Amino acid sequence: MPEMKISFLGTGSGTSTNRAHTAMVYDCDDGTRLLIDTSSGNSVAKNGSELGIPVASYDQVLLSHHHPDHLSGLLFVQFVRALERQDAPALEVYLTEETLEWAQMMCTSSRLNVFEVDDTGAKNSDGRQVMNWNTVKSGQEVSLGPTTKASCFDADHISGAVGWRVESNGLAVVFSGDTRFNPNLVEASKGARLLIHEAFCTDEEAKRANHHGHATAGDAARSAAQADVKELVLTHLDTGFHQDQQPLLDDAKKHYSGPISAAFDLRQITVDG
């Protein structure tokens, strides 16, 4: 039976003051390890080390969009990885063209182990290729491991934002990325074992969520129900729900009858087929 272990390194919204920003690790049973978004600062390194997941172990990154709470940790991931694995191949980064533009600007402005940036990737001052850019379009499937593949779908957040469906040995996990309620996500989630969906607030504050390009817990649950996924995990939680996620869970339970839980930093779960 296929399995996938998911480690939540960051589960907070962009304005969260209690949690690290968004990052997850998928460990697939074919040996493929994926980093989904890169949080900000050194959160991937710090929280990963507490779970025994060193930065040096990442070879592939999937990015949802260019907002700094999802993208800016990439600088530190590639820097620490390059230091710890001098002979490592370049880090493979999968992202949309819009996110690439911002990633290039970020690398150019910071110069953190990056000397040259172009449309293919980034090199350090020794001429070593430290990152390769792999631009993707909605619906495009990319092979990431012996039995692991991924495809992105358009999110309703900002231009170039996407969510990701990852399948390994027939087991599918979908991450919403940042998004309002999204029919594209519902379609991409059909047949998935797990949906990991942002939940910025409850339906009571739906207008505020929509204004900021985010979804409510109710939106997440409606998506899970319409896609008929087997399980729902809420993430990207704002500060007000750090201590008490019950309002989000209660909101979601009105619309989805399957298992629902809220993610927290350093949480690990294993899903099977």
Side-chain angles (χ1 to χ4, degrees):
M1 181 179 293
E3 288 187 344
M4 188 184 300
K5 185 176 183 179
I6 299 172
S7 302
F8 293 91
L9 304 185
T11 58
S13 70
T15 54
S16 174
T17 59
N18 311 92
R19 298 169 178 239
H21 291 141
T22 301
M24 296 174 290
V25 180
Y26 295 177
D27 282 306
C28 306
D29 63 3
D30 66 352
T32 301
R33 171 168 283 176
L34 304 174
L35 177 61
I36 315 297
D37 279 345
T38 58
S39 190
S40 60
N42 69 341
S43 296
V44 168
K46 178 181 179 297
N47 287 349
S49 67
E50 294 194 38
L51 296 177
I53 307 174
V55 173
S57 68
Y58 302 124
D59 290 325
Q60 301 179 104
V61 178
L62 308 182
L63 293 174
S64 66
H65 66 293
H66 71 249
H67 278 162
D69 55 314
H70 296 255
L71 171 66
S72 64
L74 180 64
L75 288 169
F76 297 91
V77 170
Q78 63 82 21
F79 182 37
V80 174
R81 179 181 181 274
L83 289 175
E84 294 185 357
R85 290 175 63 190
Q86 295 290 326
D87 60 345
L91 181 67
E92 301 292 339
V93 183
Y94 296 85
L95 70 180
T96 62
E97 291 183 359
E98 292 92 335
T99 302
L100 172 58
E101 293 178 14
W102 288 87
Q104 289 171 319
M105 288 189 287
M106 178 182 71
C107 291
T108 300
S109 62
S110 72
R111 295 294 183 185
L112 183 61
N113 194 46
V114 174
F115 182 76
E116 180 182 341
V117 184
D118 59 24
D119 289 339
T120 65
K123 296 179 180 180
N124 65 12
S125 59
D126 296 326
R128 174 186 173 190
Q129 191 86 8
V130 291
M131 288 186 286
N132 287 330
W133 310 127
N134 299 275
T135 55
V136 295
K137 296 183 181 298
S138 177
Q140 177 185 344
E141 187 173 280
V142 292
S143 178
L144 303 172
T147 66
T148 301
K149 58 186 179 181
S151 58
C152 65
F153 52 89
D154 291 334
D156 185 4
H157 184 57
I158 59 172
S159 178
V162 295
W164 285 94
R165 178 186 175 106
V166 174
E167 293 186 51
S168 186
N169 198 18
L171 177 68
V173 172
V174 174
F175 170 51
S176 68
D178 282 11
T179 189
R180 300 176 179 89
F181 178 81
N182 184 11
N184 297 319
L185 178 147
V186 173
E187 185 63 29
S189 299
K190 290 180 178 178
R193 168 64 177 79
L194 173 67
L195 173 59
I196 302 170
H197 200 297
E198 75 139 295
F200 187 66
C201 56
T202 65
D203 276 347
E204 188 176 348
E205 296 183 281
K207 186 176 292 187
R208 181 170 74 94
N210 187 72
H211 176 73
H212 291 286
H214 291 294
T216 67
D219 289 329
R222 283 184 281 270
S223 296
Q226 291 180 27
D228 196 26
V229 301
K230 294 184 179 179
E231 184 177 353
L232 173 64
V233 174
L234 306 178
T235 190
H236 200 264
L237 308 189
D238 206 17
T239 300
F241 299 103
H242 171 62
Q243 293 289 350
D244 183 13
Q245 301 89 48
Q246 199 59 49
L248 297 174
L249 297 173
D250 290 343
D251 206 39
K253 289 175 182 176
K254 297 175 185 176
H255 309 283
Y256 175 67
S257 59
I260 307 172
S261 61
F264 52 86
D265 293 5
L266 307 183
R267 182 186 181 192
Q268 293 182 296
I269 61 174
T270 299
V271 294
D272 58 42

